[in-house]
Amino acid sequence: MTNYEFGVKSESADKRLRLDADVFYMDWKDIQADFAVGQQVPGGGVSFITGIANASAARSYGFEAQATALVATGLTVGAGAGYDRAYYVRYPTPRRGWEPRET
């Protein structure tokens, strides 16, 4: 995994306002991921098979920000926001045609 992150933490001179922010980028290679495949069975039910598959590669990037302000003695207001875009670059699909065993 390769990870890049850059952030800033700042505070006003009178310490009444604080701002923290960062941006990030992550690049995964040779990862594994959980999967579940469902199939309808006679009678209206669904049967699932689960496992772990080689997902090959994924990426994630985004930002986070947080602000805190002392607006009056004893009253602090804060807010935060973030965004994360995560996705598989390559992900082989599980094999099709799995059939539940007859019992």
Side-chain angles (χ1 to χ4, degrees):
M1 177 178 159
T2 303
N3 181 33
Y4 301 98
E5 186 168 1
F6 175 76
V8 175
K9 291 183 182 265
S10 62
E11 189 171 66
S12 64
D14 62 0
K15 300 190 184 286
R16 295 179 65 86
L17 180 63
R18 177 182 297 167
L19 177 63
D20 302 333
D22 71 272
V23 294
F24 60 89
Y25 175 85
M26 295 181 228
D27 192 10
W28 287 276
K29 294 196 179 2
D30 299 324
I31 62 172
Q32 293 184 321
D34 295 328
F35 72 87
V37 177
Q39 181 174 358
Q40 282 190 326
V41 294
V46 177
S47 181
F48 285 93
I49 182 171
T50 62
I52 297 175
N54 291 325
S56 191
R59 288 199 182 110
S60 175
Y61 60 86
F63 71 89
E64 298 171 333
Q66 180 178 332
T68 307
L70 177 62
V71 294
T73 303
L75 179 60
T76 302
V77 176
Y83 173 77
D84 183 11
R85 169 75 168 106
Y87 59 94
Y88 291 108
V89 176
R90 289 183 306 277
Y91 192 108
T93 57
R95 292 183 197 159
R96 303 233 181 248
W98 175 80
E99 297 291 332
R101 283 189 232 165
E102 296 292 327
T103 54

